[in-house]
Amino acid sequence: MRIYALHLAVVAALFAVQFALPAYHYGNVTRIMLYAVFAIGYNILFGYTGLLSLGHALFFAAGAYGAGLTAHWWSFGPVAALGAGVGAALLVSLVTGLIVYRTTGVAFLIVTLMLAQAAFLSTLYFNTVTLGDQGIVLSLPPVELFGAALHLADPAVKYNASLVAFAVALLLSLWLLRSPFGRVLIAIRENEARTRLLGYNTALYRFAALVISGTLSGLAGALYCLLFGYVGSSFASLQYSTLPLLWTLLGGTGVTLGPPLGTAITHYLIDISSGLTSSYMIIVGVALVAITLWFPEGLAGWFRRWRRVRS
Amino acid sequence: MLELRKITGAYGPVKAVDEVSLSVAAGEILGLMGRNGAGKTTLLKTIMGLVPKRTGSLLLEGEELIGLPAHAIPRRGIAYVPQGRRLFSELTVAENLRMGLLVKDAPQAEAERVLDLFPILRERLSQAAGTLSGGEQQMVAVARALCAQPKVLLLDEPSEGLIPAVTHRILDTVAALRERGVAILLVEQQVKSALRICDRIALIENGTIQHEAPARDLAADPVPLERYIGVHR
């Protein structure tokens, strides 16, 4: 129960801190929480199951385009568009899961990369629908909740909607990790052949992990699109496939709080260094190499090991 | 209980197991012995569906298992404890046992029954399996396999790398499984240990069974052991 209390404390702290944050950091934390949902989704596949994907932009973009296109072309309201975005990500995850059903290791990495690149090029090719690189700027009606009209452009609405998504993703991820299903995923990560020998249909578990991971990533994409009112082909680019990998590695794979921590550090590292120089990616790169060298298990992973050794 | 009829297992054109016919009954321990590379481990892997090309017939209580995917075989009631323990080192002992229970939705009481066989593991339940001693890891490996309530247990060199006292304790526990009606196929390199606990012993060379006899007969006349294993007991 202590571990659930810790996670709930993190959520409570994020709720409380909104009343003290300056406007600039308010927006930053909002983005970090949304990206953290993406990272948490990625961690289910990479951190728990041990499958390295280089194509998670596919799911993020599926969610973003599912929400953005339905809102733009069919005038879906924010809630319906969110449902469409998550539904699109679920569908894309299911199809991708079937395509990569038997693949692991390098083959999995290559197939996911290729599928994401195909999706990226599709967003450019079908530019009459997606508006390509330029993207779609959304103008959405407010959401009616308990008689109140919530405007998505309102920073407080953005913050709290992101917080709800973050809390759901974090607690779901923790519950999943500690469930029998999660234990099997960890067993697969440790040794898939050994797990199969115990009688588990490991391909089916991998498939389920990918669908959950992809759908959570799609939720992040759909919310990002709706809360910031934009979707463009950059959401499907390679950068959005490498970022969650970076966040997860930095924060700690297989640790529920690791990816959100990695997301926050990376976000602020880029934010601060880009204010110092236009070559900020060099600073970011050096800092990340240093952290990877000294904390190969990620920061949260290092902290967990330090506590174990201490106890 | 478990019957192998002309089982062949091959990696491409290479037959690692060639037309092996064996049977092991409920409550019986069949020892499988042979030199390194004779095909002992490959035979166990062939039974478990881990060798790509399998032919012949593999019957568990009359049900044909050839053609089933590897993950379906443990669910039918065959548990395999591979060489070198192969635990999930990051999971605790309790979680390793749970992995065994979940395969067949066995009740927690089954884990308690299994822990009665290895009482020392009760003190280690919350410890990461990778931090246990070799002997304790072997106990967890056997216990995890038993949690799935197997009808047949395949053990690949459970004494490997263990001190004699621990080997003795583990093999005594294995021998006690007879009373539970478990059929056991045991690959063992230590001749004395095998002769002590096995009912019958099959000697394998170049992937084929060369000799099969009751353990007491081999104890009385060790010539086949010298011929196919190259050691005197």
Side-chain angles (χ1 to χ4, degrees), chain A residues 295-309:
Chain A
F295 306 100
E297 297 166 358
L299 292 170
W302 168 82
F303 180 70
R304 188 175 61 173
R305 194 159 61 91
W306 175 76
R307 273 192 58 206
R308 273 185 191 162
V309 170

Side-chain angles (χ1 to χ4, degrees), chain B residues 132-214:
Chain B
L132 300 178
S133 70
E136 287 166 347
Q137 287 193 23
Q138 188 60 269
M139 289 178 201
V140 176
V142 177
R144 186 180 63 188
L146 292 175
C147 278
Q149 300 172 310
K151 296 167 187 164
V152 179
L153 181 62
L154 310 184
L155 286 164
D156 197 352
E157 297 199 37
S159 63
E160 188 194 26
L162 302 181
I163 59 170
V166 175
T167 300
H168 212 272
R169 200 183 318 155
I170 289 172
L171 291 181
D172 280 348
T173 307
V174 169
L177 293 174
R178 276 198 193 94
E179 292 166 20
R180 296 187 177 201
V182 180
I184 297 167
L185 181 52
L186 170 71
V187 168
E188 183 53 64
Q189 288 280 40
Q190 295 186 14
V191 178
K192 273 187 185 170
S193 300
L195 290 175
R196 185 169 67 84
I197 74 159
C198 293
D199 299 300
R200 286 182 298 128
I201 287 178
L203 300 171
I204 187 168
E205 190 175 66
N206 295 328
T208 57
I209 300 296
Q210 302 290 342
H211 189 85
E212 191 183 336

Side-chain angles (χ1 to χ4, degrees), chain A residues 217-257:
Chain A
S217 304
L219 168 69
L223 269 176
Y224 197 94
C225 162
L226 295 170
L227 293 177
F228 290 94
Y230 172 78
V231 58
S233 55
S234 63
F235 285 1
S237 68
L238 182 62
Q239 186 193 357
Y240 274 80
S241 289
T242 52
L243 277 175
L245 171 63
L246 190 65
W247 298 329
T248 309
L249 282 175
L250 188 64
T253 55
V255 187
T256 44
L257 286 171

Side-chain angles (χ1 to χ4, degrees), chain B residues 36-103:
Chain B
N36 286 338
K40 307 181 294 293
T41 297
T42 309
L43 178 58
L44 299 191
K45 286 184 174 176
T46 306
I47 294 170
M48 296 307 295
L50 298 174
V51 173
K53 284 174 72 178
R54 300 191 300 168
T55 56
S57 183
L58 176 64
L59 301 166
L60 177 65
E61 293 183 321
E63 185 194 1
E64 181 58 74
L65 302 185
I66 291 286
L68 290 178
H71 67 82
I73 291 173
R75 288 177 182 271
R76 294 293 197 280
I78 303 182
Y80 176 41
V81 181
Q83 210 171 358
R85 274 82 78 173
R86 311 280 173 89
L87 299 177
F88 300 110
S89 55
E90 272 196 30
L91 300 185
T92 64
V93 171
E95 286 170 341
N96 266 279
L97 298 184
R98 205 162 158 220
M99 290 289 294
L101 290 175
L102 288 170
V103 171

